Amino acid sequence: ASLPYSAVSRLLESAAGGDLESTRLAPFAAELAILAPGMVKLVPGDVPKQAPGDISPDWDRRRALDTLARCVRALCEEQPTVLAFDDLHWADASSLEAILRLAREAAPGCMLLLTYRDDERTASLDSLLAALDRERLGAEVSLRRLTLDEVDRMLKATLGSERSTRADILHVIHRLTGGNPFFVEEVLRSILDAAGSIEGLDALRLTEIDVPRGVHEAMRRRSRDLSADAKQVLSLAAVAGARFELSLLQELLGRSEQSLVALLKELVAAQLVVEETPNAFAFRHALTREAVRSQLLHHERRLLSKQIAETLERAREGDADLRLSDLAMHYYEAEDWEKAFEYSRRSGERAMALYAPAEALAHLTRAIHCADRLGGIDCSEVYRLRGAAHEAVGELEAARLDYEEAAIRAEAAGNSRVRWRVLLNLGLLWASRDYAKSEPYYREALELARALGEPAAIAHSLNRLGNWHSNVGDADRALELSEEALAIFRANGDLLGTAQTLDLLGMTCVQAMRFGAALSYYREAIALLERLDDKTTLASALASIQIGAGTYQTDMVAPALSLAEGAAFGERALTLARQMGAKSAESYALWQLAFSLGPQGEYARALECAEEAVRIAREIGHVQWEIAAECSFGAVLTDILATDMSQVHLRRALQLAREMASNGWIAQATALLVEALVAGRDVESAIDLYMPGAPEQPGAFGTRQLYAAGAEAVLASGDPSRALAMAKALEAATEVPGPGQPVARLRRLQGRALMAIGQPEEAIALLAEAAKAARAHGQLSHAWRADAELAQALLLSGRREAAKEAGTNAIALLDSLAVKIPAGRLRDGFLEKAMQHLPAALRRRPQDLAAGPLTGREAEVAALVARGLTNRRIAEILVLSSRTVETHVANAMAKLGLDSRSQLAAWAVEHGLQAPPL
């Protein structure tokens, strides 16, 4: 800021030494060298080099600025040009004056891009911004601070890593920086210095973070003009916390409120702190506070922390829970390990109870550190809680290590109750990776619970073992164990235990394909969980209930609720999981939603959910959820006839399921892959995949899904009689939850089999029922197929008009579904392949196919829009009124989900629409 024209000089010298051809700058170099000495090297040899001040300094300056303006205009004449000035809060006043002149004299094709940090503005910068605003020379874009996820993306990009940042490091960086990208970069550099390398981040133990030099410098500039008393307040406030109360400072300093407010105004004016409420202030950035703290001696900080902790404890005597986190931090800073351990432990427990696992990690790690300093303390429960926090944020390996350490310490201390809880934790953790390894933990937990003689412990253990039996396909044993647990909870008046057991019973009934009972259990569980505010179990129940809605997993069974209602539950589950920051719950909610949204034709959203579910599951190492997410991804792609892509995802799911030895997921992944192969007309491969493990009866969940897929493959292979028998067996095994429509998929299967056998009238009746049932239930992916198959049957029976009507219904539905598929190859492929399901006589012409959901007239108008014609000219060509053309344009844009005329033109070109002769 003390070097005149430094910003302009840097810009010119950067251009001269960069990609900009020197010949374009050379004509101006001699005079611009007054502002940027580095330009001298571009001055042609026959041009005299004039030193600044040969005539007069003011004339030199004006001449140089005139030349700069001419230079910029010359550049803009050749091509559009951007002049970018970064960090203007550090610019000298003369550079800012030059920038204002460039803005005033800018030629067409010239853009000035100015960036600055709002909390670092100088008087000169304020003057420039006011002039630009007053003269309407520019537009300002305020960038919001980065969210937690955006900080994670920035860190991954900076480190060149696909893996998400360790949760505790991510939350510390976000808390310290407040989402300020400059501070994020500075703090990351500081952490990397401490870790030694990117790989060293995994082993890094975060206690204190060195404040980066850039932050120190910013803080030094702001505080240099403060009075001595204001600096004293600043130091004490920095030790007190990122947020501090006026009343606390008063008690600590013994000053009057009036004098203290005057000192705080100094700090506000220096942009170091902000007023939050009449009694509360906060540092503008957590890093500013850290910079102030780091300037104090260790002994000073320790004494001040002790003083603050004791003051807070006295002020909150009898109600210390209100300031648990503050007390934990200050006693830790004061090195009072005993009190720090107690308050940190309680803070961690409270954070977990509030569904804030990342915050709990920080408190519990501090508690463990205190316990190490004290020695002789049983902190097995602290390790167990930290394991749960690691698991909640998706760090499964760290969770396993903490759980195992907790088990060792609990056994050594003779703490059987903690050991019992750890056994359940370990069983649940292994259930996400390897079912076989989880069962011994559950059995040992049940034995230990019976030895303890605690009814609640016995009931929880029965539930977990029951859920294991459910997942391996033994629904009867699972129901027996969970019903025993439910009886114990009800007898003891344990509402939370009752709600959690109802949730598990709901899932067991789903696995057994007893959707009526499942729905009843889930509705009761959800009502109780909402009352009890158990967000974790509630998120699970809300996501799980939609399985009974006839999704891709269960569309061979009579649904217990509509797909729309199921998806509404799923969206609530996703919102709740994200609010809690629970990655595992988020992935679960996402893939369940994908299974539910796809059959309704909400393809773009379903694909987005499936893709995000896969990403999260891989990131946290949750193999079971990765299998499920890949299955959901493959199912949606099969539905939109992108079978080559779907098979990639489904083969991956099947491979993982086999590695995990999960019979349930092996059956589901195999079933979906068989369906994808049949849809892709690779019937031989579908039969080869199905036959080795073909079930003899429909069975429960995965087995029934596989049986239904097998029936599709058998029909496609040319054995309609056997396929018909399998479809009837599926229908006979279906529990009907209540009065309602027939199962659309089973009616379609029977109808096609009867048509192949040569019984078209019976086929027509069943396919008409299927189309009606599919629409009533919102299964649009079945509805258009049923219409197409009905058209085929009607045509074979000689009823051409009725066939045409069914074909028109199929095409109309296809058009409405196509717009919900991402534009391009996926949408075009869907429309093209879907037409093959209709009788040839009823298929749309290629021109109509390209037009997608548009009518013929709308397609003609769109093609003419793509030629750049106005509505008036289009009206003349098509012999229409301008208002009619305007209506066609608006209708076409609405059908395609477009916002502008230019987007409609681009769509018409992309889809090859041909305009009528002009």
Side-chain angles (χ1 to χ4, degrees), residues 219-233:
M219 192 278 296
R220 185 191 63 78
R221 286 198 308 274
R222 293 187 207 171
S223 61
R224 62 190 169 197
D225 295 329
L226 293 176
S227 66
D229 286 345
K231 288 179 179 177
Q232 181 191 10
V233 172

Side-chain angles (χ1 to χ4, degrees), residues 786-862:
D787 282 333
E789 291 154 1
L790 179 59
Q792 183 76 45
L794 289 165
L795 202 60
L796 284 174
S797 67
R799 293 152 65 177
R800 296 187 64 83
E801 286 304 313
K804 185 177 179 182
E805 181 182 349
T808 301
N809 289 340
I811 290 172
L813 188 48
L814 281 171
D815 288 341
S816 66
L817 292 174
V819 296
K820 296 181 180 181
I821 298 172
R825 187 161 62 94
L826 282 179
R827 184 186 294 176
D828 295 343
F830 172 71
L831 285 168
E832 182 180 349
K833 292 174 184 175
M835 280 297 114
Q836 304 305 311
H837 288 247
L838 283 158
L842 301 178
R843 292 174 193 166
R844 215 161 28 190
R845 293 176 293 110
Q847 168 65 27
D848 295 333
L849 185 63
L854 304 187
T855 64
R857 182 63 85 186
E858 288 165 353
E860 286 180 330
V861 170

Side-chain angles (χ1 to χ4, degrees), residues 128-174:
L128 168 66
L129 296 174
L132 292 173
D133 188 49
R134 185 173 57 253
E135 299 176 36
R136 299 187 180 183
L137 293 173
E140 188 166 23
V141 179
S142 297
L143 303 182
R144 59 174 174 76
R145 297 179 182 279
L146 301 183
T147 64
L148 188 69
D149 285 343
E150 289 166 343
V151 169
D152 188 25
R153 285 166 54 195
M154 178 178 173
L155 295 174
K156 284 193 285 190
T158 306
L159 296 171
S161 170
E162 287 298 318
R163 190 178 61 173
S164 285
T165 313
R166 211 175 82 193
D168 55 341
I169 293 178
L170 175 61
H171 280 77
V172 165
I173 291 176
H174 187 256

Side-chain angles (χ1 to χ4, degrees), residues 29-188:
E31 292 178 356
L32 289 179
I34 297 169
L35 301 179
M39 297 290 287
V40 170
K41 63 185 178 184
L42 298 184
V43 178
D46 57 346
V47 175
K49 299 176 176 61
Q50 189 161 0
D54 280 2
I55 301 176
S56 78
D58 184 58
W59 190 92
D60 285 339
R61 179 182 64 81
R62 284 187 283 110
R63 183 183 62 181
L65 292 176
D66 286 341
T67 303
L68 177 63
R70 285 190 293 110
C71 175
V72 170
R73 282 196 294 273
L75 291 174
C76 295
E77 286 174 2
E78 297 185 27
Q79 64 184 50
T81 301
V82 177
L83 307 181
F85 295 91
D86 195 23
D87 287 335
L88 282 188
H89 47 277
W90 285 333
D92 59 286
S94 49
S95 286
L96 297 176
E97 290 174 10
I99 290 168
L100 180 57
R101 176 168 179 176
L102 289 175
R104 285 170 172 160
E105 300 182 16
C110 178
M111 174 183 177
L112 274 71
L113 176 64
L114 317 176
T115 75
Y116 66 92
R117 292 208 294 274
D118 190 58
D119 54 4
E120 296 275 357
R121 293 200 316 267
T122 61
S124 298
L125 177 55
D126 280 338
S127 177
L128 168 66
L129 296 174
L132 292 173
D133 188 49
R134 185 173 57 253
E135 299 176 36
R136 299 187 180 183
L137 293 173
E140 188 166 23
V141 179
S142 297
L143 303 182
R144 59 174 174 76
R145 297 179 182 279
L146 301 183
T147 64
L148 188 69
D149 285 343
E150 289 166 343
V151 169
D152 188 25
R153 285 166 54 195
M154 178 178 173
L155 295 174
K156 284 193 285 190
T158 306
L159 296 171
S161 170
E162 287 298 318
R163 190 178 61 173
S164 285
T165 313
R166 211 175 82 193
D168 55 341
I169 293 178
L170 175 61
H171 280 77
V172 165
I173 291 176
H174 187 256
R175 176 177 58 80
L176 286 175
T177 62
N180 181 315
F182 165 68
F183 287 159
V184 170
E185 189 175 21
E186 294 287 322
V187 169
L188 178 60

Side-chain angles (χ1 to χ4, degrees), residues 463-506:
N463 269 338
R464 297 282 33 116
L465 189 58
N467 185 242
W468 182 86
H469 279 285
S470 176
N471 285 330
V472 297
D474 188 355
D476 290 338
R477 179 59 176 153
L479 286 169
E480 180 185 329
L481 291 166
S482 289
E483 282 168 357
E484 183 183 347
L486 184 63
I488 293 172
F489 284 129
R490 287 199 194 278
N492 285 275
D494 187 336
L495 292 180
L496 182 58
T498 298
Q500 292 171 341
T501 308
L502 289 167
D503 173 54
L504 290 172
L505 280 164

